[in-house]
Amino acid sequence: MKIVEKNIEDWIKPYATIVGDKLNVDESLRETNPSEFYLRLTLPSQFESYAIALHSFWINHKIPIEKVFTNENSNEEFPEEDYSRINWKEFCLRKGREFDLNRELNSRIKHTDSYDKQLNNELYPGEGLMDNEHLLSLIEIVNELYGNQVIDAFYTFLSTKNWEKDLIYSGKISEMPKLFDIENLRLTPSLIYPIERNWVVNTDYDLPFSTIGGETEFISELSKRNPNEIIIINR
């Protein structure tokens, strides 16, 4: 994929929360139904189906249980390879509580958890950082359903290391994994969409999940291949 000099397409630009228009979304939904609130905030209403891709928790199983403690501003770092990804439902199980999507969304977004504090063997879901597994699954399904579509991948300046300007890469979706290796890109694309406009992914820089809209078959396949990680939202 190559950097192109163009703007985000008008149909999706209002949903790019940094450079787009401020959308009028019912604020009461933020508390009562956050999954619906963030879908309205980040995606247009033109699609058949919608889903939320929950960015993974990470657990370091190499730390002995006797050395696990509440992580309060600790600067201790461990190698990335020591961590294993787990989904939100598995994390809730570790904490002895039942998974409820809206409750967990509110907990993660507010950066508070009334049940516990972060432990030193835990990494919480990355904001603006969609799981590679989800992106690779998306590429595979798009190729199966629609062929090797031409897409735009938009990076807000906050998704880059130099924080200088927004970037748009354009090219075949099969080429998207090459973006993961570009040193200047510290997060995943803020927006990914094809020229056909039949699906879109929004990975807001400030949210620990991504929102996805598209045709029912597309959304169903994503959820089926990523159980308990990409969750269909019935609207």
Side-chain angles (χ1 to χ4, degrees), residues 36-47:
E36 177 63 23
F37 175 82
Y38 287 102
L39 283 179
R40 294 188 190 183
L41 188 69
T42 58
L43 296 178
S45 60
Q46 68 194 52
F47 297 107

Side-chain angles (χ1 to χ4, degrees), residues 63-233:
I63 300 177
I65 189 67
E66 64 272 13
K67 293 187 177 181
V68 174
F69 55 84
T70 300
N71 185 14
E72 296 181 352
N73 300 319
S74 173
N75 293 322
E76 188 174 15
E77 295 185 2
F78 302 98
E80 288 186 12
E81 58 268 21
D82 288 354
Y83 289 87
S84 302
R85 60 190 289 264
I86 66 170
N87 63 50
W88 291 35
K89 186 171 289 188
E90 292 169 327
F91 184 80
C92 286
L93 184 62
R94 290 174 61 91
K95 301 300 180 181
R97 66 179 185 260
E98 186 176 350
F99 172 75
D100 178 270
L101 176 62
N102 279 327
R103 184 186 65 197
E104 296 302 323
L105 289 179
N106 274 333
S107 175
R108 298 274 68 82
I109 292 166
K110 294 177 180 179
H111 303 285
T112 60
D113 197 324
S114 59
Y115 300 93
D116 61 281
K117 293 185 178 181
Q118 184 174 2
L119 302 179
N120 65 328
N121 68 337
E122 299 171 343
L123 295 178
Y124 282 178
E127 296 175 350
L129 190 61
M130 190 177 187
D131 287 27
N132 279 0
E133 289 82 358
H134 297 163
L135 285 168
L136 293 174
S137 178
L138 180 140
I139 293 168
E140 180 181 24
I141 293 168
V142 167
N143 269 294
E144 292 174 6
L145 295 180
Y146 310 119
N148 197 10
Q149 287 182 299
V150 174
I151 64 166
D152 283 349
F154 167 76
Y155 289 83
T156 179
F157 66 95
L158 292 176
S159 300
T160 63
K161 289 184 178 178
N162 59 20
W163 287 25
E164 289 181 358
K165 63 177 182 178
D166 303 324
L167 300 174
I168 296 182
Y169 288 82
S170 188
K172 298 284 189 179
I173 193 169
S174 61
E175 301 169 354
M176 192 168 68
K178 297 177 182 177
L179 297 179
F180 307 163
D181 298 325
I182 298 177
E183 186 176 347
N184 185 48
L185 304 177
R186 68 183 188 92
L187 300 176
T188 44
S190 303
L191 292 171
I192 309 169
Y193 52 86
I195 60 174
E196 290 86 354
R197 305 183 184 183
N198 55 342
W199 58 267
V200 67
V201 177
N202 189 329
T203 302
D204 185 276
Y205 76 99
D206 204 27
L207 296 177
F209 54 84
S210 299
T211 55
I212 308 171
E215 296 175 343
T216 299
E217 184 178 11
F218 170 70
I219 297 295
S220 296
E221 277 299 310
L222 275 171
S223 180
K224 184 168 68 175
R225 300 187 197 186
N226 302 273
N228 298 320
E229 297 183 357
I230 297 183
I231 299 177
I232 295 173
I233 306 299

